[in-house]
Amino acid sequence: MTTIQNKIINIGTRGSKLALWQANTVADKLQAAGFATELVIITTKGDRMLDRSLDKLGSKGVFTEELEDGLRDGSIDIAVHSAKDVQSKVSEDLELLAFMEREKVNDVLLSLNPDFKLEPGSNAKIGTSSTRRRALLNKFYPNVVTGESRGNLQTRLKKLENGEFDALMLAFAGVHRMEYDNLIVHIFPEDQFVPAAGQGSVAVECAMNLEPELKARIKAAVDHPETHHCLLAERAFLRTMEGGCSIPSFTLATLKDENTLQIQGGIVSLDGQRHLYEVYEAPIAEAETIGKKLAETILSQGGVEILKEIKEQRS
């Protein structure tokens, strides 16, 4: 008979180097807590369809759907995701059990030219797969030309080598975890280029019907409570905005002290011309409430019109 203590935890993950780094980090923490683990590599729609931009694929479950199917059929016990890839609403039969300690949240530029500088009037060509990053570049660096750059980090770097782009715009977390810090030529300030909800953290998802004791043990081993509070706020913002990775919304929650959470966020039009932004503070216990309030404020200030315009442009 298998007991909780000697159970092998099957960890579902995508197969990219970064995804495997995340899954192995979770595995290390579980092993330190006394569990045996095994990685189960699963290919998602987002991995297969690299010829289409994320906004063409849609935002719901592009990188998570097949992993979530594994949770439902019991072939895996937990799924490991980049937190920013998790859709705004998780199915009722699943739950986000834990969020690992967050890495530095900034967006960065990578270039093979160490002398590359991003100036206000720059007309450099920058590769990115993010609607949010493109829209913010349109606002703050309107002369920059952006191009679609999907695939894993190594695939994108090939495009740099081939001269398709002058630089790539990515999350610092992935660049750092893959040890490409030496290629960073610009760090965007997080209060100007506010990141996507969840950026820099790793999410652990499970089925609601996973054994309660096992859930509790897994959460105790991998969850970072401070990060968890922040992501509850950010994901409440995202849910209320009804947006995912194909919508140029942004939000970042931080702890001002042990009792107070601050959240900033907003939305920017695709052309960068309209930029809505607000900051709120609340007790940590009200993390989800304040995230929802921030989104409602942004929507009431013109966010609804921006979202409608984006939908019309893509239809």
Side-chain angles (χ1 to χ4, degrees), residues 134-308:
R134 284 197 298 270
L136 288 171
L137 284 170
N138 284 338
K139 174 174 175 55
F140 295 109
Y141 297 92
N143 295 325
V144 157
V145 177
T146 59
E148 183 64 34
S149 174
R150 287 206 49 221
N152 61 42
L153 181 51
Q154 291 73 24
T155 299
R156 298 186 199 197
L157 286 171
K158 290 280 186 198
K159 296 183 179 183
L160 267 190
E161 291 173 8
N162 295 338
E164 294 180 43
F165 304 111
D166 298 304
L168 297 173
M169 189 172 179
L170 300 160
F172 171 83
V175 174
H176 179 63
R177 289 164 181 163
M178 292 294 95
E179 301 181 355
Y180 286 107
D181 304 60
N182 60 307
L183 298 181
I184 295 174
V185 293
H186 185 84
I187 300 175
F188 294 92
E190 71 269 21
D191 57 351
Q192 185 184 64
F193 280 72
V194 182
Q199 184 160 305
S201 181
V202 174
V204 176
E205 187 179 22
C206 69
M208 286 289 286
N209 62 6
L210 189 68
E211 302 97 313
E213 183 186 346
L214 184 57
K215 274 192 207 178
R217 293 278 305 281
I218 292 171
K219 183 172 183 176
V222 303
D223 190 52
H224 186 250
E226 291 85 352
T227 299
H228 202 129
H229 285 304
C230 292
L231 265 68
L232 286 177
E234 293 174 22
R235 288 188 53 77
F237 171 88
L238 193 65
R239 274 196 307 277
T240 309
M241 293 294 292
E242 296 190 351
C245 56
S246 67
I247 298 300
S249 66
F250 46 84
T251 183
L252 176 63
T254 53
L255 298 185
K256 293 201 71 179
D257 56 47
E258 61 182 16
N259 298 311
T260 308
L261 182 144
Q262 181 186 83
I263 184 169
Q264 56 180 311
I267 191 169
V268 58
S269 60
L270 295 180
D271 61 7
Q273 296 300 303
R274 282 166 295 159
H275 180 259
L276 305 176
Y277 171 87
E278 291 290 344
V279 181
Y280 284 128
E281 287 185 13
I284 285 176
E286 298 173 19
E288 292 190 88
T289 301
I290 201 68
K292 182 173 184 284
K293 179 183 176 183
L294 174 62
E296 289 171 343
T297 299
I298 295 299
L299 290 170
S300 70
Q301 290 178 348
V304 169
E305 288 74 21
I306 292 175
L307 288 171
K308 181 181 177 184

Side-chain angles (χ1 to χ4, degrees), residues 1-241:
M1 180 178 175
T2 301
T3 65
I4 292 292
Q5 187 58 45
N6 63 20
K7 176 178 171 56
I8 297 173
I9 307 293
N10 289 311
I11 302 172
T13 175
R14 295 164 61 203
S16 72
K17 285 186 178 181
L18 179 57
L20 291 172
W21 181 96
Q22 294 174 164
N24 278 306
T25 302
V26 170
D28 288 346
K29 287 186 173 292
L30 289 172
Q31 289 164 18
F35 287 106
T37 64
E38 187 168 320
L39 299 191
V40 180
I41 297 175
I42 297 172
T43 302
T44 68
K45 180 168 70 172
D47 298 312
R48 292 192 303 271
M49 300 183 178
L50 295 175
D51 58 334
R52 281 185 260 175
S53 62
L54 291 176
D55 57 317
K56 297 293 192 298
L57 285 174
S59 61
K60 293 185 178 178
V62 171
F63 294 114
T64 61
E65 185 176 356
E66 289 81 359
L67 288 158
E68 292 179 333
D69 288 343
L71 293 173
R72 293 187 177 99
D73 66 26
S75 58
I76 58 175
D77 299 299
I78 58 173
V80 176
H81 314 286
S82 290
K84 66 181 176 58
D85 289 339
V86 181
Q87 63 271 30
S88 55
K89 294 179 181 177
V90 173
S91 300
E92 290 184 1
D93 59 338
L94 304 174
E95 68 174 294
L96 292 174
L97 180 64
F99 296 102
M100 296 186 70
E101 184 171 7
R102 192 174 220 164
E103 183 57 82
K104 188 172 164 180
V105 300
N106 303 68
D107 291 324
V108 297
L109 282 184
L110 267 62
S111 180
L112 299 179
N113 173 11
D115 298 321
F116 178 89
K117 287 186 171 52
L118 185 64
E119 307 288 355
S122 173
N123 60 359
K125 186 165 186 183
I126 294 177
T128 177
S129 62
S130 163
T131 304
R132 173 188 62 86
R133 291 177 183 135
R134 284 197 298 270
L136 288 171
L137 284 170
N138 284 338
K139 174 174 175 55
F140 295 109
Y141 297 92
N143 295 325
V144 157
V145 177
T146 59
E148 183 64 34
S149 174
R150 287 206 49 221
N152 61 42
L153 181 51
Q154 291 73 24
T155 299
R156 298 186 199 197
L157 286 171
K158 290 280 186 198
K159 296 183 179 183
L160 267 190
E161 291 173 8
N162 295 338
E164 294 180 43
F165 304 111
D166 298 304
L168 297 173
M169 189 172 179
L170 300 160
F172 171 83
V175 174
H176 179 63
R177 289 164 181 163
M178 292 294 95
E179 301 181 355
Y180 286 107
D181 304 60
N182 60 307
L183 298 181
I184 295 174
V185 293
H186 185 84
I187 300 175
F188 294 92
E190 71 269 21
D191 57 351
Q192 185 184 64
F193 280 72
V194 182
Q199 184 160 305
S201 181
V202 174
V204 176
E205 187 179 22
C206 69
M208 286 289 286
N209 62 6
L210 189 68
E211 302 97 313
E213 183 186 346
L214 184 57
K215 274 192 207 178
R217 293 278 305 281
I218 292 171
K219 183 172 183 176
V222 303
D223 190 52
H224 186 250
E226 291 85 352
T227 299
H228 202 129
H229 285 304
C230 292
L231 265 68
L232 286 177
E234 293 174 22
R235 288 188 53 77
F237 171 88
L238 193 65
R239 274 196 307 277
T240 309
M241 293 294 292

